[in-house]
Amino acid sequence: MQLHINTPLINSRPLSQTAGRNVWLKMDALQPSGSFKIRGVGLACQEYYQQGARSFISSSGGNAGLAVAYAGRMLGIPVTVVVPETTSKRAIDLLRLEQAKVIVHGSSWQEANQLACTMVGDTDAFIHPFDDPLLWKGHATMIDEVVAAGVRPDAVVLSVGGGGLMCGVMEGLERNGLSDVPVIAVETEGAASFHAAANAGQSVEIKTISTVATSLGAKRVCNKAVEYALSRPVVSERVTDASAIRACLQFADDHRVVTEPACGAALAGVYEGKTVLDSFSNILVIVCGGATTTLEQLMQMSARLNIKGA
C-alpha cells in the first residue's frame, strides 16, 4: 500500500509570467498529510513495521509529525509525537485528529527530539523528521513523477530546513539521469542553518532560530545535505520572513492553495526573481506543504510584520 499520492504537476501561468521563464509546480501541499513528508515517512513507517516495529515515535510539531500520525493511522499502528512548546494549537489538533498521542516538551525541536529518543523501546521505531536514507528514498519519488510526466527541468527550487527534502530531490535527480541539474535551496534569514553549513563546508549548529517559518527550524542540517552541497550544483539562497509570507499570500491568490511560510521561502525566490534563476528557462518549484497554517494566520503574520503589498 502506497501511503502518498502522485501529486499534480502544474505549469504555472502566473509564476511563469512573473518570473519571465517557464515555471512548473510540484504540488505536494496536496498530499493526504498536507506535505511532501508523507512520501519518505510513509516508506520508513512501512519498512520499520515490516521489521517488527509496533509503535512509532516522532519529534515534530509540524509536517513530519503529521505524516507519521497519518501513516500510523493508515497502518493501524499507535503513534506518539513529541512537540516543542512553540507548536501551534492547530498543529496539535491536527495530530490528535490523526489519533496520535501528543507530548509537549521543551522550547525547541532539539529538546523535543532529545526526549523522543529516550522513549524508544524494543518494539518502537523512531521516525526522524529529516535524517534517514529511507526518507530521502521516499521523497525522491516526486522527481520520478515529474520525469514520468515528460518534464525535465533545468533547475529545481525548494525550501531547505533540516535537508530531508533536498536530499530526496538530489536522489531523485540522480536516479533519473539529472545529476547536473542545479538545485536552488532557499531558507529564511532567521533559520539559515544550510547557508551556514554550505559556507563552513560542514554541518554546523546555528545559535538561534528566529523566523515565522518554523518548519525550517533545524539548528543543524543533516550531513548528507552538506555532502550534496559540496559535490553537486547547489546554490544557497535566503529570503526574509516578509518575503516568504508575501509569497504565500500571492500564491493563494494565484493557485487557490494555502501554503506555510517555510514553503513560501521557495516561492519567494521565484516571485522576487532571484538573479540565480536568470540563466534557467524551465524551473521546477517544489510546493512542499502547509497543513498547519491557515490563511487567517498568514494575514495576521502580515499585519504583525507590517508587510506592504500583502
Side-chain angles (χ1 to χ4, degrees):
M1 177 175 62
Q2 179 175 290
L3 296 178
H4 69 269
I5 65 170
N6 290 9
T7 53
L9 178 66
I10 297 172
N11 184 234
S12 172
R13 182 59 183 161
L15 267 165
S16 296
Q17 189 171 39
T18 297
R21 65 203 73 245
N22 203 26
V23 177
W24 295 88
L25 304 173
K26 187 56 173 162
M27 298 293 290
D28 261 47
L30 302 181
Q31 288 288 353
S33 68
S35 83
F36 77 96
K37 293 280 189 181
I38 189 57
R39 292 180 181 270
V41 165
L43 177 62
C45 286
Q46 288 175 309
E47 289 281 343
Y48 292 133
Y49 175 67
Q50 291 172 4
Q51 294 171 18
R54 290 301 173 262
S55 68
F56 301 137
I57 296 174
S58 182
S59 57
S60 165
N63 295 317
L66 285 171
V68 177
Y70 173 81
R73 182 173 63 81
M74 295 299 290
L75 294 170
I77 304 297
V79 172
T80 299
V81 183
V82 185
V83 305
E85 295 161 358
T86 53
T87 305
S88 68
K89 180 182 181 298
R90 174 175 171 79
I92 292 174
D93 288 346
L94 288 172
L95 287 167
R96 288 175 174 157
L97 184 64
E98 292 289 357
Q99 302 175 357
K101 177 182 178 182
V102 181
I103 296 174
V104 180
H105 175 81
S107 60
S108 67
W109 169 77
Q110 283 73 16
E111 292 178 23
N113 186 58
Q114 288 172 359
L115 176 63
C117 289
T118 68
M119 297 169 57
V120 181
D122 292 340
T123 60
D124 304 322
F126 175 67
I127 312 297
H128 198 285
F130 55 83
D131 195 0
D132 183 336
L134 284 172
L135 300 181
W136 312 332
K137 181 180 179 182
H139 298 337
T141 57
M142 70 179 70
I143 301 301
D144 297 339
E145 293 168 19
V146 170
V147 173
V151 174
R152 299 179 75 85
D154 56 9
V156 180
V157 182
L158 53 79
S159 298
V160 58
L165 173 58
M166 192 185 90
C167 290
V169 166
M170 288 295 196
E171 185 169 323
L173 290 171
E174 184 173 3
R175 72 190 190 195
N176 284 283
L178 298 172
S179 297
D180 59 336
V181 172
V183 168
I184 292 84
V186 191
E187 57 200 333
T188 55
E189 293 173 348
S193 53
F194 178 71
H195 185 78
N199 284 343
Q202 61 182 352
S203 183
V204 295
E205 184 170 309
I206 60 176
K207 292 181 179 180
T208 59
I209 298 292
S210 178
T211 179
V212 296
T214 54
S215 294
L216 303 182
K219 290 183 178 180
R220 180 189 294 269
V221 297
C222 64
N223 290 328
K224 189 65 176 179
V226 183
E227 289 180 25
Y228 279 129
L230 298 176
S231 62
R232 297 269 285 276
V234 181
V235 180
S236 171
E237 284 285 339
R238 293 167 294 173
V239 298
T240 65
D241 277 1
S243 293
I245 294 169
R246 190 181 295 111
C248 287
L249 292 170
Q250 185 62 56
F251 189 77
D253 284 347
D254 288 342
H255 288 285
R256 302 158 303 283
V257 172
V258 176
T259 56
E260 62 181 304
C263 181
L267 293 170
V270 182
Y271 275 121
E272 294 185 349
K274 289 288 187 179
T275 57
V276 68
L277 300 176
D278 288 351
S279 59
F280 305 114
S281 59
N282 201 41
I283 299 170
L284 172 68
V285 181
I286 308 300
V287 183
C288 50
T292 62
T293 299
T294 65
L295 187 59
E296 181 181 5
Q297 288 173 320
L298 289 172
M299 295 299 292
Q300 290 171 349
M301 293 176 194
S302 177
R304 191 163 62 246
L305 294 177
N306 194 27
I307 299 172
K308 295 180 180 180

